[in-house]
Amino acid sequence: MKARIENDILLLDREDVPEYKKGGSTVRNSYFWALRSIAGKAGRYGDWEYEPEVWLALRRMLLSFAESGYLGIRETLLEFPPSQVIPEVLRDAATWE
């Protein structure tokens, strides 16, 4: 998922966040609700926002869903622009584009 940090807020690109699909995959829908539940802002038409206080929980969640094997690596890995420094707490679940 494309990610960036602005003003100490982690932003996930709205085009890359998972979609909820009624009748869809249980794992994918659970992933959607888990990510949404800790987001400071998760609107349908904007980027999802995460404050630094939840970054550890976000990392744990991303790693847990990645280890399950039900979702692709691009769905559970934060992809930062090459110019961005990846915070230590997110490094296990992040890379550069």
Side-chain angles (χ1 to χ4, degrees):
M1 289 182 289
K2 290 182 185 143
R4 68 187 186 286
I5 296 174
E6 294 179 4
N7 300 319
D8 286 332
I9 301 293
L10 173 68
L11 300 162
L12 297 183
D13 188 297
R14 68 182 172 90
E15 298 292 325
D16 285 354
V17 295
E19 291 183 30
Y20 174 79
K21 294 182 181 176
K22 191 171 185 171
S25 161
T26 301
V27 173
R28 195 169 306 283
N29 285 343
S30 295
Y31 185 51
F32 167 86
W33 288 114
L35 286 174
R36 191 165 190 254
S37 71
I38 64 168
K41 187 175 181 183
R44 181 179 285 192
Y45 303 108
D47 295 337
W48 288 17
E49 301 179 4
Y50 297 85
E51 298 89 353
E53 294 82 10
V54 300
W55 291 358
L56 176 60
L58 178 62
R59 181 191 78 189
R60 289 177 176 170
M61 190 181 312
L62 292 171
L63 292 173
S64 178
F65 275 95
E67 290 171 0
S68 77
Y70 288 105
L71 301 172
I73 190 73
R74 294 197 54 117
E75 295 176 279
T76 57
L77 189 66
L78 301 175
E79 296 178 2
F80 285 91
S83 60
Q84 185 112 63
V85 174
I86 299 173
E88 179 69 32
V89 69
L90 296 172
R91 286 194 186 146
D92 291 345
T95 189
W96 290 276
E97 295 177 340

